[in-house]
Structures are given as C-alpha cells and as structure tokens.
Amino acid sequence: MEVSWETSVEESINTIYLLFSAYLVFVMQLGFAMLCAGSFRAKNAMNIMLTNVVDAVVGSISYYLFGFAFAFGEGSGSNPFIGTYYFALKDIPNSTYDFSFFLYQWAFAIAVAGITSGSIAERTQFSTYLIFSFFLTGFVYPVVSHWMWSSSGWLSPSASDLFIDSGAIDFAGSGVMHLVGGIAGLWGSLIEGPRAGRFDAFGKPVPMRGHNATLVVLGTFLLWFGWFGFNPGSFDKILVSYPTTSDQGNWTGVSRTAVTTALAGSTAGIVTLFGRRLLVGHWDALDVCNGVLGGFVAITSGCSVVEPWAAIVCGLVSAWVLIGLNILALKLKFDDPLEATQLHGGCGPWGLIFTGLFAKEEFVVQAYDSARAEFHALMAYSWAGDGTCWDHRW
C-alpha cells in the first residue's frame, strides 16, 4: 500500500530524531575517555584511552553479530529471558525495528563497557579486557535489556504476562545499563583487588589523585551533553501525539525529560559539593563531578515519568548514596579508581526505587501507552490530498 506523504515526513523526522540521539549517546564515549584519563596517573593515561577505543570497536562487532539479537530478537519462539532472532541484523529493517534503532541501542551497549573500564583500570591485562568487553556488550548487557525493553521480556511493562501484574519501569536504564555496569565493575575490582600502594601496611587508604582535573571536568560536561540523547532519546519517536490532549505529544515528554535530567544532576552536584565540604573540610571539583553523574544515573530510570520537583529529590538522595558508599568502600578496602561501582551500582538501584515512589500515572501512560493508544484512537482515514480518495494513516 502506498504511504502518504504525511506518514513519510513523520517517519523521517522520527528517524532523524533517533539518529541524532544516537550520536549524542556516542559522544559519551569521549566523555568516558576524558573522565578516565584525567582521573588516573599520567603513566596509565594511554592504556585507559586504548580501552575506551576498544569498547567502541569491539562492542560494534559483538553487538552486531549477536548482541542485538539477544536483546530484541522476537518471533514465534520468543521467550522472557533472551532474544533468538536478528543475528547479524538478519531481516532488519522490518516493521518493528530499523537501522536507526540498532544504532541507538549499540551506543547504549558500548557505554556499559565504558562504565566498567574505570573500575578495573591500572591493574588489568589488555588481552583480558578485550574478552571482558566483548562478552559484556555481546551477551551480559543484551540479556538484561531483553528482560526490560523487549516486548517479551519478563520485566517489560509491554509484556503480555506482566510481572506482578504491572511490569517494571526503567525508562532509559538506571538498572538495565548503570546497575549492570556497576555490578560488572564490582566483580572486576573484587577479583583483581586494590591497586599496588592504594592502602598502606596498616590498611589506611593512600590517595592516588588523577593527573589532570581539566580532563575530568571536560569529560563530565561531555557526559552531561550526551545524557540529553540518553534520556530524552529513549522515547525513540518525537512525533507521537497524546490522544488525551489536543496540543501535547512526545515532544512534551522529551522536553520534560531533559529538564528532569538537568535538575537531578545539578542538585546532586550541589549537595555533593557542600556534603564533602562538611566531611573533609575543603572544596573538591572532582567530587562534584562524580556527584553530578550520580544524579544523572539515578534519574535515568524515571526521567520521563516524574515531575521536575521530584527530580530534585532524586538528585539530593543520590548524592548522599554516593558519599556514603565511598566512605564504606574505604572502610572495606575496596578500590574502584573511578568510583564507578559506587556511582552506577549505588545510584542506579536508588533510581529504580525512586521511580516506583514518585512516578506520575499520567506521565507513565504518556511514555508507555501513547503510541499504542494513538494507533487505536486514530484508526481512521485522512484525506490524501488528491480530491478523490482517503488514505489510511496506519
């Protein structure tokens, strides 16, 4: 059936929006690279930069070959645990997925590896890291994303058999991405142990400051910039109207999501600034940078379904979660050079809990049911424009 020009324009705009969001998320790789390089000693800078490049190139191959299939492969044999179709993008594009969707999800996958690269830095063999990155982006992360984001996943709010009759909300990945990355970093750090010289003979921590604060701040702002593709981009489509209103649609949700993201990160940064000042007696730009990122991690789950004021609550609590976990890590002699385990593995779960406490039903319906509701509500014919016939929009 011939597609109307209105539908073609709508699909083109949605595709451009998703591609632009994918490009923003990919910029986060540069942010991770700058953050890592500045946070470590100068002698290890080249090695950590190499691991960030490896995350992108190795992740591209593994996610293309089988990662996307494990995450979103659906068909007659679909199951709640793992996808089984679309290996090496076979039968893509189709009516459900296209190449822009793959590119967006690929940018997410390689970002997970970027999280863990900092946790095990300065003490990992490069060949081992290659295997670790390939397995994480090609299998571990895709399986978890299938649980939540595939329509057949056992946690998905779109599944036919809903978990505890509701499913779970993790809009952009506080759990799917950040908690997975945090746990991977936790196990890597535990297996490898602390860096040589991180704790003295009496078990007291020895500071190992990064060599370039400028790179840390630059990396933080690049990640902040990329997060505007990470969270708002998770709507996938921007030209979807809300059937219950006459002047709102996904463009409204996208804007609100960008606001909640900025507010949560900013609040966490301010609270971390003054919290660390009270605890250690001086201002620290690096702590503030990690605090900002902790706020972003926490709001990622509920960014589309909460009011802006709730995002401030999210950021406030996430700052203290991060501060508390950093204190606990030192007491347990746990060494994560980038604090990625505490940041992503601690603020991620808080974000999931926060979403359950503060999600607004109206926003949940808009974020998760709008496209479906619009499909049914607008099953009508629109004027084709040639004066002779009507053309089906869907």
Side-chain angles (χ1 to χ4, degrees):
M1 182 171 56
E2 185 179 352
V3 179
S4 67
W5 70 268
E6 295 96 336
T7 301
S8 297
V9 170
E10 180 179 315
E11 292 178 353
S12 298
I13 292 174
N14 286 331
T15 298
I16 292 171
Y17 174 73
L18 190 57
L19 284 173
F20 181 71
S21 298
Y23 305 152
L24 286 178
V25 176
F26 184 68
V27 167
M28 296 178 79
Q29 288 299 117
L30 179 58
F32 282 126
M34 296 298 99
L35 184 68
C36 290
S39 297
F40 302 131
R41 291 168 290 181
K43 65 178 182 178
N44 295 307
M46 184 59 69
N47 183 65
I48 194 64
M49 296 293 280
L50 179 59
T51 61
N52 278 272
V53 175
V54 164
D55 288 337
V57 297
V58 170
S60 298
I61 303 302
S62 63
Y63 200 72
Y64 162 74
L65 290 176
F66 40 79
F68 184 81
F70 289 153
F72 296 99
E74 300 173 6
S76 58
S78 297
N79 67 82
F81 180 76
I82 190 171
T84 55
Y85 296 90
Y86 307 142
F87 290 99
L89 296 187
K90 186 178 184 300
D91 298 327
I92 299 292
N94 54 44
S95 59
T96 306
Y97 304 122
D98 60 12
F99 292 120
S100 63
F101 184 80
F102 164 79
L103 193 73
Y104 186 67
Q105 296 302 327
W106 158 78
F108 268 56
I110 62 174
V112 175
I115 292 172
T116 59
S117 64
S119 296
I120 56 179
E122 297 193 318
R123 60 203 193 277
T124 305
Q125 291 186 355
F126 181 68
S127 58
T128 304
Y129 185 79
L130 279 173
I131 299 172
F132 175 83
S133 180
F134 188 87
F135 184 69
L136 184 63
T137 56
F139 180 74
V140 177
Y141 165 74
V143 169
V144 178
S145 61
H146 180 83
W147 297 350
M148 184 71 72
W149 291 337
S150 169
S151 60
S152 60
W154 67 278
L155 283 173
S156 173
S158 303
S160 56
D161 185 15
L162 293 174
F163 177 67
I164 58 174
D165 295 326
S166 67
I169 293 177
D170 187 4
F171 187 73
S174 289
V176 172
M177 180 180 165
H178 295 287
L179 181 55
V180 168
I183 291 176
L186 169 65
W187 281 110
S189 297
L190 287 175
I191 291 171
E192 295 191 333
R195 292 167 291 174
R198 180 66 178 91
F199 298 95
D200 63 20
F202 301 99
K204 294 183 179 180
V206 177
M208 288 184 171
R209 304 292 290 180
H211 78 285
N212 195 322
T214 302
L215 289 180
V216 175
V217 175
L218 175 61
T220 300
F221 276 111
L222 285 170
L223 288 169
W224 190 333
F225 181 62
W227 236 291
F228 288 131
F230 202 95
N231 287 359
S234 292
F235 278 89
D236 294 343
K237 298 178 180 180
I238 193 168
L239 287 185
V240 176
S241 60
Y242 297 153
T244 56
T245 65
S246 59
D247 58 349
Q248 295 185 28
N250 270 5
W251 54 89
T252 311
V254 164
S255 302
R256 184 179 62 249
T257 298
V259 170
T260 58
T261 299
L263 288 176
S266 299
T267 302
I270 292 173
V271 174
T272 303
L273 174 68
F274 288 98
R276 292 293 295 171
R277 175 69 171 81
L278 291 173
L279 292 173
V280 301
H282 59 82
W283 310 104
D284 194 321
L286 305 187
D287 285 336
V288 174
C289 287
N290 269 353
V292 169
L293 298 179
F296 291 151
V297 168
I299 196 61
T300 296
S301 172
C303 55
S304 65
V305 297
V306 300
E307 296 273 14
W309 65 263
I312 294 177
V313 177
C314 178
L316 188 153
V317 175
S318 67
W320 287 109
V321 168
L322 180 59
I323 291 172
L325 288 176
N326 282 336
I327 294 173
L328 179 63
L330 290 179
K331 290 185 178 296
L332 297 177
K333 301 181 180 61
F334 174 78
D335 182 23
D336 183 328
L338 205 61
E339 299 178 5
T341 298
Q342 301 92 295
L343 198 158
H344 298 273
C347 295
W350 156 241
L352 296 172
I353 296 170
F354 160 80
T355 302
L357 296 174
F358 290 90
K360 186 175 180 179
E361 183 177 357
E362 176 189 357
F363 296 162
V364 172
V365 172
Q366 291 174 353
Y368 285 90
D369 292 335
S370 290
R372 196 180 317 148
E374 185 182 59
F375 178 84
H376 293 293
L378 298 180
M379 285 292 289
Y381 292 90
S382 60
W383 187 249
D386 59 3
T388 60
C389 65
W390 294 84
D391 183 37
H392 199 282
R393 287 194 63 186
W394 301 95

